[in-house]
Amino acid sequence: GPGARAMVTVRLARGARVSGLIQDQNGVAISGVPVSVVGLVDGRDEVMVLPGVLPTAAEAAELPAGSVARQGSIRSALTDAQGRFVLSGLTPGRSRLDVSPVDKLPLRREPLLLAPGDQRDMGTLVVLTGVVLSGRVQGPEGLALPDVQVEARAQDKGTPPIRVTSDSQGQFILRVPSGQYSVSVLAKGYSPQTIPAVRALGQP
């Protein structure tokens, strides 16, 4: 009620640390690859409680953009010249590891269960080149159609579809693992089109 006080005890957990090595399928270390660890709650991105005293709405309006932002449950780093990465100060609990190379397939490891003070070495993580599916979307008059959703869906039902949007020239590029796909195109104002069988062949 009014004027009441509450006493709480806060127990802090030691941060965890995750490290590893990123290589391609030929065993060559890859530098400059973004690696992230994302905290999860029930399989979803974790919602963090912001520490400290936040300013009032009037005070926040006078602050520069981004001044109120606090570090959340995502930690990211780039691999060094030897392809190694280290992420420290991680929140203990259920997490996932995302590796996002520019010219190779993304890699995800989950669940990653981190204990307080955990020093987790992920070892060598191999990212694959995959197969590039590219093309151009155009209308009946032969004009390029930008901002069109193109989806490649593997015949393996357990694999999620891969989606991109065509650029200003109607061109699109999809990087997918080797396999058999159906490719669908969905453009506003046009009937959907599907290529039912596309074979993407490449190195395993």
Side-chain angles (χ1 to χ4, degrees), residues 14-22 35-39 73-79 83-99 109-125:
R14 290 179 295 135
R17 178 179 181 270
V18 171
S19 60
L21 172 66
I22 305 298
V35 182
S36 300
V37 171
V38 182
S73 61
I74 299 178
R75 299 288 187 273
S76 299
L78 297 177
T79 56
R84 299 189 177 277
F85 67 89
V86 176
L87 291 163
S88 56
L90 302 174
T91 303
R94 184 183 177 91
S95 303
R96 75 165 184 258
L97 177 76
D98 289 329
V99 182
R109 289 285 184 270
E110 65 175 328
L112 185 62
L113 302 177
L114 299 175
D118 203 351
Q119 304 285 313
R120 186 74 58 89
D121 183 359
M122 301 296 295
T124 300
L125 300 174

Side-chain angles (χ1 to χ4, degrees), residues 154-172:
Q155 292 194 354
D156 176 10
K157 300 299 183 182
T159 303
I162 301 172
R163 300 183 181 93
V164 296
T165 302
S166 62
D167 62 16
S168 59
Q169 304 300 316
Q171 297 177 342
F172 65 89

